[in-house]
Amino acid sequence: MEEGTFLEWLKQSGDSIKEGEPLFTLESDKAAQEVESTDSGILHIPDNGPRAGTVVKVGAVLGYLLAEGEAPPVEAGEVKPETAPANVRDEVPQNSVAVGVPARFSSEGAATISAPASPRARRAALAGGIDLSAVTPTGSSGRIRERDVLAAQMERDRSGVKWVDVPTSATRRLIAERLERSVSQTVPVTITGRCDATGLVCLRNQLKAVEAVPVPSFNDMIIKITAGALHAHPKITGRWAGSSIQFPEAVHIGFTVETEEDLVVPVLRDVASLRLSDVARRSKELIESARSRRISSSEIRDGCFTVTSLGSFGVDAFTPVIQFPETAILGVGAISREAVSLPDGSIVSREQLTLSLTFDHRAIDGATAARFLQTLRKRLESPTVWLFND
Amino acid sequence: MSSSNETAFRLGLYRTMLVIRVVEERLAKSHQRGMIPGACHTYVGQEAVATGVCAHLRDKDAIFSTHRGHGHALAKGMHPRELMAELYGRETGCSRGRGGSMHLFAPEIGMLGTSGIVGPCILQATGAGYSFKLMKQDHVGVAFFGDGAVNNGAFHEGLNMASIWKLPVLFVCENNQFATEVPFESVAGNPSIAARGAAYGMHSVVVDGNDVVAVAAAAEEAAGRARSGGGPTLLECKTYRTRPHSEGMGDFTYRTREDVEHWKALCPIKRFREQLLSEGSASASELDAVEKEVIDLTEAAHQFAEASPYPSPDSATRHVYAPARASALREGSVQSTKPRELTFMKATLEALSEEMARQPEIFVLGEGIGVRGGNFATTSGLFAKYGPERLRDTPICERGFVGLACGAAMSGTRPVVDFMFADFVLDAAGEIINQIAKIQYMSSGRLEMPVLLRGCIGIGHAAATHHSGSYYSMYANFPGLRVVVPSNPRDAKGLLKTALTCGDPVLFLEHRELMGTKGDVPEEEYYIGFGEASVVREGTHVTVVALALMVHKTLAAIELLKAEGISVELIDPRTVAPLDSETILKSVAKTGRLLIVDEAFGPFGVGAEIAARIADSGFDELDAPIRRLNGKPSPTPYSPPLEAAVVPSIEMIVGAIRDLCAE
Ligand SMILES: Cc1ncc(C[n+]2csc(CCOP(=O)(O)OP(=O)(O)O)c2C)c(N)n1
Ligand SMILES: [Mg+2]
């Protein structure tokens, strides 16, 4: 909490206050509480002290506890709703203790109290779509006035675009929920690494040349090689279950398909048991049924790992979001020709690819993930070996 | 009078007395049966007085009476069914169900009304006399009242005024020896009522009130004298009511059965019947036939009244005010080619002068408003033009001359009462509030009440507490009154013109500190309607409503606040009743803030009324609480620093506006 609404003094100016006695009530987080004095002394409430309904910041000076015979501060300054002026504290007499909003309230989270608002302000808030709890009253009464609402509205209009409401689809809301769950329930870390994709490109060109049916996409090839790498690094598919980590018997790999409306993640089952041509055929089918919205729920279930690609958009590296409850996701960047300096110092033109791996740090250490990424890169640089040796 | 005419006249007297008697006895029965929802004061035993007096009156002669007025109404020519229907609370009643036993109106036949208050009818008859004299008509005003009224100030003030101005008035005191249960001897220093008339230099006659011929003769002489300019007469008619004061009341705590029986034996009707028979003026069968006719008439009237519908509840507030008169020369339609600077007082003088020239029925009453031209020069120069009848210097009897004004307005003239200071007229509060304000309504709109009551208000000049009150909130509380409080010469003239042409009673209250202030006034004639506030200054941050002097103080405050960037919209309602809350609401819709600056006291004041109306109809317009800045609720002190402390100052107005804007 940063502020509260002052309700009333429980003591009067001139009352002798003992430590621990309730001093005033303050409304915070929808509950009114009595605030106890942390010191003893004679209460002095300045003329411009807070009125019922004034919103006061933590640390604001509301009154003074004076020692016997001590004069109250000469000019205490107004208790401003926004901040306690620094000079107020300076003027506190030597022995006196400022009675204010105790800091312990500040640990209680954000306040959602709204100050009382004039009827006109309420009407303006309604018309302008302004949330009164986010409006700061600036008048002497502590009440939100129309001008406060208009100021908030102007601020909003200046700081952003005008928002137009377009309703979301149920799928989109589901995706949003899943993504939200992913980031809130995992500890995601993303690492990236580059590899030489010249071999991949050559291989694909050869398959095209021999009119293989179907011609596997780079994604198909990467998925197939990833399956092998996951086999070598099973920890990457291990799911965090608190007291244990769970490992799948077979590795099913999902891949993202963008449809007209949203994102679908079909799952290729037990990729290790599939030949590249099977992967290519199956993925083609899944893509088609995803795009024609015929995909069944069993075809998007049980993924252990996901491959997602933004390569076709020229994106190199990014931070993919784990398909919760999976543990890691591989982001595939664009394959592009770049100048590469070889160990002998000669500069050649090669196909380059950047991989981004996001993993749940709870289940996987950085080194483990890095090792997996390294295996993957190596294998991708010699694709024929890893694609056709089984 | 030929003898056959004389016989017919006497039979007429007999019949009228019988009508009163039979109708009263029927009403007494109806009261007992619960058909009369309110009071019923019968006239049984006193029939000879009303009958004898009215025998020589014409329709245009105006009679006024009190709580015991059934007999007077019938004698003046009211049909019994109108009277009975009124007592039964029906639409067909003479006051359309608005009055009952004590508020009988039939202006068509010169029955200008009865009143539930003892006394005012004496002043109203005096006022009618004033009207007739001013308009040179040979009608007379007649007041019927009891012995109880002769100890009331109205009697003394009325008789004195009628006497000094030789007004055509008959004061008919029906001395029935009791006021409710109080014997007259016990409350009269001098038990001769006639002697009191003589004290005011008036013809005064004592008559046997149970001898209809004697009463008629005395009234004939008095009326003749009045019509011929001989002045008023007081008739003391000694009589006795033989039924209780009011139906249903006990009768023998203050008098004995023997007393009542004694007077019953002296019944004026029985006595006159015997006289008619012994004189040979009529035979028993002739008189029996009259009696039968009257009984049938009464029964038919009762049936008619009983069958009559009740008035519709949605007409309950109809006739509080006169129908509006539209003036062609409204303020906005007048473009002044040559505005002149006039003082406030000169502007009102111009309005009065213009209207007096146009309306011969206007006359002014006041102390020193004649040759002197008024304490504040409100009538300066008019006496020379219009003479003493239209510029009438009065004795110092505020209640008396306000009551006179009431009767004058009821009988066709337009009195202007110039009472100098509003404080003085409080002595006449009853006449204003109980009579002037209510008569249009009680007469169901058949009488208009064009009375202008003007005088100054406001604190200043160390005038202290009896020359400084502002009473507009009080008057505005009463339905039937218009209350005007102008702030500048232009408004004052236009509003006074409307006041002098409308049908309603108007309190025209002029702030003393403004009387000498100057302002532009169009040369052309113009009128400003009531209930039309003026937006004196346009502004955006806060609406201030102020009246009279406070308008000027607020204007000064507005100048000071300009430097702070505070923009004030200033509204001057100009009339407190009716109050133009529409214009105020429109302004508050713009500014969201309302302050009412009022020199008068806060509690129950005009500011409270404005605040309540705006809080009601403009709740969602408000961005801050409605604030009031009022004069301190204390009698006005004399010493200048004390005086200053009770009036809102420019500084206080500045502070109040500033605070409200900072809210
Ligand atoms: C100013 C005023 N005071 C008191 C009353 C109450 N009241 C009604 S009738 C009455 C007695 C009037 O006596 P009087 O004038 O002799 O008339 P009477 O009833 O004898 O006809 C009184 C005191 C009143 N109506 N008006
Ligand atoms: Mg009497």
Short mmCIF file of all heavy atoms in Angstrom, two decimals, chain B residues 46 67-68 145-149 174-180 182 241, ligand 2:
data_model
loop_
_atom_site.label_atom_id
_atom_site.label_comp_id
_atom_site.label_asym_id
_atom_site.label_seq_id
_atom_site.Cartn_x
_atom_site.Cartn_y
_atom_site.Cartn_z
N GLN B 46 -80.12 36.70 14.77
CA GLN B 46 -79.61 38.01 14.36
C GLN B 46 -80.10 38.40 12.95
O GLN B 46 -79.61 39.37 12.38
CB GLN B 46 -78.08 37.99 14.38
CG GLN B 46 -77.51 37.57 15.73
CD GLN B 46 -75.98 37.56 15.82
OE1 GLN B 46 -75.45 36.94 16.69
NE2 GLN B 46 -75.31 38.27 14.91
N HIS B 67 -66.65 35.41 10.47
CA HIS B 67 -66.96 33.99 10.61
C HIS B 67 -68.46 33.72 10.62
O HIS B 67 -68.87 32.62 10.32
CB HIS B 67 -66.33 33.47 11.90
CG HIS B 67 -66.76 34.25 13.10
ND1 HIS B 67 -66.30 35.52 13.37
CD2 HIS B 67 -67.65 33.96 14.09
CE1 HIS B 67 -66.84 35.97 14.48
NE2 HIS B 67 -67.68 35.05 14.93
N ARG B 68 -69.27 34.71 11.01
CA ARG B 68 -70.71 34.46 11.11
C ARG B 68 -71.40 35.13 9.92
O ARG B 68 -72.19 36.04 10.07
CB ARG B 68 -71.24 35.02 12.45
CG ARG B 68 -72.59 34.44 12.86
CD ARG B 68 -73.00 34.92 14.25
NE ARG B 68 -72.01 34.61 15.27
CZ ARG B 68 -71.75 33.38 15.74
NH1 ARG B 68 -72.41 32.34 15.28
NH2 ARG B 68 -70.82 33.20 16.67
N PHE B 145 -69.60 43.02 11.58
CA PHE B 145 -68.67 42.40 12.54
C PHE B 145 -69.33 42.35 13.90
O PHE B 145 -70.35 43.02 14.14
CB PHE B 145 -67.36 43.19 12.60
CG PHE B 145 -67.55 44.68 12.81
CD1 PHE B 145 -67.54 45.22 14.09
CD2 PHE B 145 -67.75 45.54 11.74
CE1 PHE B 145 -67.74 46.58 14.28
CE2 PHE B 145 -67.95 46.90 11.93
CZ PHE B 145 -67.94 47.43 13.21
N GLY B 146 -68.76 41.59 14.78
CA GLY B 146 -69.36 41.42 16.10
C GLY B 146 -68.79 42.37 17.13
O GLY B 146 -67.88 43.16 16.85
N ASP B 147 -69.30 42.28 18.30
CA ASP B 147 -68.78 43.09 19.40
C ASP B 147 -67.33 42.74 19.70
O ASP B 147 -66.56 43.57 20.17
CB ASP B 147 -69.63 42.87 20.66
CG ASP B 147 -69.86 41.38 20.94
OD1 ASP B 147 -70.63 40.75 20.19
OD2 ASP B 147 -69.22 40.83 21.86
N GLY B 148 -66.96 41.50 19.36
CA GLY B 148 -65.58 41.08 19.62
C GLY B 148 -64.59 41.87 18.80
O GLY B 148 -63.44 42.06 19.22
N ALA B 149 -65.00 42.36 17.66
CA ALA B 149 -64.06 43.04 16.77
C ALA B 149 -63.77 44.47 17.20
O ALA B 149 -62.77 45.06 16.77
CB ALA B 149 -64.59 43.03 15.34
N GLU B 174 -72.67 44.02 15.12
CA GLU B 174 -73.76 43.21 15.68
C GLU B 174 -73.36 42.83 17.09
O GLU B 174 -72.60 41.90 17.30
CB GLU B 174 -74.00 41.98 14.81
CG GLU B 174 -74.35 42.40 13.40
CD GLU B 174 -74.66 41.21 12.49
OE1 GLU B 174 -75.51 40.39 12.83
OE2 GLU B 174 -74.03 41.14 11.41
N ASN B 175 -73.82 43.65 18.00
CA ASN B 175 -73.45 43.42 19.40
C ASN B 175 -74.37 42.35 19.98
O ASN B 175 -75.43 42.64 20.50
CB ASN B 175 -73.55 44.73 20.17
CG ASN B 175 -73.10 44.56 21.62
OD1 ASN B 175 -72.79 43.44 22.05
ND2 ASN B 175 -73.09 45.64 22.36
N ASN B 176 -73.93 41.13 19.88
CA ASN B 176 -74.72 40.02 20.43
C ASN B 176 -74.25 39.67 21.83
O ASN B 176 -74.52 38.62 22.36
CB ASN B 176 -74.70 38.81 19.50
CG ASN B 176 -73.31 38.23 19.32
OD1 ASN B 176 -72.37 38.63 20.02
ND2 ASN B 176 -73.17 37.30 18.39
N GLN B 177 -73.43 40.56 22.37
CA GLN B 177 -73.04 40.56 23.80
C GLN B 177 -71.97 39.55 24.20
O GLN B 177 -71.51 39.54 25.33
CB GLN B 177 -74.29 40.39 24.68
CG GLN B 177 -75.30 41.49 24.43
CD GLN B 177 -76.65 41.19 25.02
OE1 GLN B 177 -76.74 40.67 26.14
NE2 GLN B 177 -77.70 41.50 24.29
N PHE B 178 -71.61 38.72 23.26
CA PHE B 178 -70.54 37.77 23.57
C PHE B 178 -69.57 37.64 22.39
O PHE B 178 -69.98 37.68 21.23
CB PHE B 178 -71.12 36.37 23.86
CG PHE B 178 -71.93 36.30 25.11
CD1 PHE B 178 -73.31 36.45 25.05
CD2 PHE B 178 -71.31 36.09 26.34
CE1 PHE B 178 -74.08 36.39 26.20
CE2 PHE B 178 -72.09 36.03 27.50
CZ PHE B 178 -73.48 36.17 27.44
N ALA B 179 -68.33 37.48 22.74
CA ALA B 179 -67.35 37.07 21.74
C ALA B 179 -66.97 35.64 22.16
O ALA B 179 -66.32 35.44 23.17
CB ALA B 179 -66.13 37.98 21.77
N THR B 180 -67.43 34.69 21.38
CA THR B 180 -67.43 33.30 21.79
C THR B 180 -68.09 33.22 23.16
O THR B 180 -69.30 33.41 23.25
CB THR B 180 -66.00 32.69 21.83
OG1 THR B 180 -65.18 33.38 20.91
CG2 THR B 180 -66.02 31.22 21.42
N VAL B 182 -67.01 35.16 25.85
CA VAL B 182 -66.58 36.29 26.67
C VAL B 182 -67.61 37.42 26.57
O VAL B 182 -67.84 37.96 25.49
CB VAL B 182 -65.19 36.79 26.22
CG1 VAL B 182 -64.73 37.96 27.08
CG2 VAL B 182 -64.18 35.65 26.25
N ARG B 241 -77.43 35.99 19.65
CA ARG B 241 -77.54 34.75 18.88
C ARG B 241 -78.11 33.69 19.80
O ARG B 241 -77.68 33.58 20.95
CB ARG B 241 -76.19 34.32 18.28
CG ARG B 241 -75.19 33.82 19.27
CD ARG B 241 -73.92 33.26 18.66
NE ARG B 241 -72.82 33.46 19.59
CZ ARG B 241 -72.65 32.78 20.72
NH1 ARG B 241 -73.52 31.84 21.07
NH2 ARG B 241 -71.65 33.04 21.51
MG MG C 2 -70.36 38.80 19.59
#
